[in-house]
Amino acid sequence: MTKKSIFSDDFATEKKSIVVENKEIGKFAKIISADVHDEAKRKGEQFAREIEERFVSDFEKSERLLKEGKVSERDLMAHVSTFVVINDVIYITYYANTKEPSEDPNNQTARFVYCPVNDLENKTFIDIQTVGDICGGRKVNMVYDTILMQKDEDTIYIMWTANIEGNYYRLYCPYTISTRELGEIRVNRFKAGEVINDFSTSGIQSALRENGISFKKMYSDIGIMQKLSKREENGEVFYYTGAYSGDFTCIIKSRDLVTWEYVSEPDFPNDSIWENATYVIGDKCYYFVRQHYESKYGFLTVYDLVNKTWETPVLVEDCQSRADFIVYKGKLYLFHAPIDREHIGIICVDTENIADSAVVLSAHMHTSCFYPFVQYFGGGELAMSYTIDRKHIRLAEFNLSKYTSNSGICFVQER
């Protein structure tokens, strides 16, 4: 019997694409500048020191591990990390290039690593998919953004982008914690209205076209952001995050982390591109996205999930890099790159009025610090995974209270 293909045909629609052009933001509520006050710089210096001093571990296949015979090859490039700690075990994902030292999807591997918190030298490296592999009977031409999401107490979904026969797909593979076993590779699904396609470039476009939903220009790879936030809707829990391809950036939600439903994209003129951070609190989805490199600013906005309206954005001076939200002790924080990828900025987001959001600190880090991802680590405190010069996948702990305890603004209001 022939095994059923993991891929499906897109919904056949005769409707045309409604493409929205990128435009400069005209109306905005406020500008948050990278030229910050002395106290924010002082706290930034303290934060940079703490990140260096509270180093946990590097997670790439290093030259040292190769010499010790613990790996058969080393990573010449590694980038874009996600991590979670479950029962005192660290699980982390990224993509790597073992062939040459560049970020080149033609030579990359989707990587999954885990180790006990108290035995950091005992790392297990698992290559999930590499360019040249056969997936569902088709050849993998490129591998890109790799993340993980915790589905339940015993299941992690490893998720990544692959170009297969000229189309970009979002793939996932379950990992069972109790048995340390990987499941089969499958294709995520994308839903708009009643149309459900493969989560692919063509599948997204087909579903949006059929539903008369406009979208900005899509190109190169497609992505799903790694930070989840949840909301109960009609007795069911939905998990929210962001999705993107080129200039197209939107909010998506899912009940099972497999099928992702289109929610909305900013409806005001903007110059968005690539990764968009989201976080749902009550009936509002907070949203930050970078813009094209000619712009000095990313933008922070809010989508009202009940009234289906977008708020006037706040411009945030940014070097156009990936950002991340975290709720910590009742407040919402945005981590971003205000000047370059050697800087980390932290903004306390005022959830009642984003125009009152304020800079907590601006840190010139002691190394490059690409694409910070912030998550709870232990004892109610945080850690940050990040890339150093696309060479190291690093994890470090920090105590956010040191920098925010005197701030009386930006409390999350329960709704």
Side-chain angles (χ1 to χ4, degrees):
M1 181 181 294
T2 302
K3 189 174 182 180
K4 185 179 178 181
S5 174
I6 65 172
F7 303 99
S8 64
D9 294 333
D10 295 335
F11 180 86
T13 179
E14 298 298 322
K15 297 182 180 180
K16 303 296 183 182
S17 299
I18 306 171
V19 179
V20 178
E21 296 297 325
N22 267 16
K23 292 183 180 179
E24 184 177 350
I25 292 175
K27 182 180 180 182
F28 52 89
K30 178 185 178 179
I31 293 177
I32 296 179
S33 173
D35 185 13
V36 299
H37 50 81
D38 290 342
E39 179 66 6
K41 293 178 182 177
R42 184 193 67 78
K43 289 181 178 178
E45 291 173 357
Q46 184 181 356
F47 178 78
R49 286 196 302 272
E50 183 177 15
I51 290 296
E52 184 174 61
E53 292 167 358
R54 300 186 66 190
F55 165 81
V56 175
S57 186
D58 286 336
F59 286 82
E60 75 282 356
K61 290 182 177 179
S62 66
E63 179 71 24
R64 178 181 65 82
L65 293 176
L66 179 63
K67 289 179 179 178
E68 293 174 356
K70 294 180 179 179
V71 295
S72 60
E73 57 187 355
R74 73 182 183 96
D75 292 331
L76 301 176
M77 189 285 308
H79 198 24
V80 185
S81 61
T82 310
F83 79 95
V84 66
V85 179
I86 305 171
N87 296 327
D88 295 323
V89 176
I90 303 168
Y91 300 90
I92 197 160
T93 56
Y94 56 93
Y95 58 85
N97 188 339
T98 62
K99 297 178 181 179
E100 38 90 20
S102 69
E103 185 181 359
D104 182 353
N106 294 287
N107 290 320
Q108 290 173 176
T109 295
R111 176 77 50 70
F112 176 56
V113 185
Y114 63 87
C115 67
V117 172
N118 60 3
D119 190 5
L120 296 167
E121 291 299 308
N122 187 20
K123 293 183 176 69
T124 298
F125 294 86
I126 302 175
D127 289 352
I128 303 297
Q129 188 173 85
T130 298
V131 170
D133 287 355
I134 301 300
C135 179
R138 304 178 185 181
K139 185 178 179 180
V140 176
N141 298 318
M142 299 180 186
V143 169
Y144 229 134
D145 287 30
T146 305
I147 64 172
L148 63 77
M149 292 180 177
Q150 183 179 359
K151 184 177 186 292
D152 54 45
E153 291 183 357
D154 197 35
T155 312
I156 292 171
Y157 279 171
I158 304 156
M159 305 162 70
W160 67 100
T161 302
N163 182 292
I164 299 173
E165 295 187 352
N167 200 10
Y168 285 95
Y169 290 87
R170 286 299 300 190
L171 305 178
Y172 73 95
C173 177
Y175 174 80
T176 302
I177 295 170
S178 59
T179 62
R180 297 184 179 180
E181 292 179 337
L182 291 170
E184 294 185 352
I185 293 173
R186 297 291 182 184
V187 185
N188 281 113
R189 308 283 279 163
F190 182 87
K191 179 180 180 182
E194 298 303 314
V195 177
I196 302 177
N197 287 333
D198 287 348
F199 203 124
S200 66
T201 306
S202 62
I204 294 170
Q205 292 178 351
S206 162
L208 295 180
R209 286 201 307 268
E210 176 62 19
N211 284 276
I213 299 171
S214 62
F215 55 92
K216 296 169 78 175
K217 184 178 179 182
M218 296 174 59
Y219 49 88
S220 192
D221 65 317
I222 57 176
I224 296 176
M225 291 295 283
Q226 60 265 67
K227 181 58 61 67
L228 293 177
S229 54
K230 61 185 180 180
R231 180 174 185 260
E232 186 172 318
E233 300 174 5
N234 299 318
E236 294 187 279
V237 174
F238 279 84
Y239 295 89
Y240 279 74
T241 191
Y244 55 89
S245 174
D247 299 343
F248 170 70
T249 69
C250 72
I251 303 167
I252 54 175
K253 66 179 182 180
S254 177
R255 286 173 290 191
D256 58 7
L257 308 185
V258 173
T259 299
W260 293 91
E261 182 176 349
Y262 172 88
V263 177
S264 187
E265 58 189 304
D267 61 358
F268 48 83
N270 66 80
D271 205 17
S272 66
I273 186 172
W274 300 128
E275 302 93 342
N276 52 340
T278 69
Y279 207 96
V280 169
I281 299 170
D283 294 332
K284 293 186 176 182
C285 183
Y286 297 85
Y287 190 99
F288 180 83
V289 65
R290 67 195 204 179
Q291 297 193 92
H292 274 265
Y293 298 106
E294 308 83 63
S295 175
K296 290 176 60 178
Y297 307 104
F299 65 85
L300 172 68
T301 183
V302 186
Y303 181 65
D304 189 309
L305 294 161
V306 175
N307 297 320
K308 303 186 186 307
T309 55
W310 287 89
E311 288 190 16
T312 302
V314 168
L315 300 184
V316 179
E317 195 162 353
D318 190 84
C319 77
Q320 311 311 351
S321 191
R322 180 184 292 227
D324 190 30
F325 286 111
I326 191 78
V327 168
Y328 175 81
K329 296 189 176 181
K331 299 179 184 180
L332 178 65
Y333 295 94
L334 173 68
F335 286 66
H336 74 115
I339 297 170
D340 54 32
R341 290 179 178 178
E342 291 186 359
H343 282 77
I344 292 289
I346 303 177
I347 293 172
C348 183
V349 179
D350 192 308
T351 55
E352 291 300 298
N353 179 13
I354 57 171
D356 289 334
S357 300
V359 173
V360 173
L361 62 81
S362 180
H364 189 185
M365 307 302 288
H366 295 170
T367 65
S368 63
C369 196
F370 290 18
Y371 289 10
F373 178 73
V374 181
Q375 190 65 281
Y376 282 87
F377 189 75
E381 292 302 330
L382 303 173
M384 181 174 73
S385 65
Y386 56 99
T387 306
I388 297 179
D389 196 29
R390 295 185 177 88
K391 302 290 186 186
H392 304 285
I393 300 294
R394 183 155 294 181
L395 185 65
E397 296 180 81
F398 66 98
N399 187 332
L400 191 55
S401 293
K402 293 179 180 179
Y403 316 103
T404 62
S405 58
N406 294 328
S407 174
I409 63 170
C410 308
F411 276 99
V412 169
Q413 299 296 316
E414 296 294 334
R415 295 178 175 85

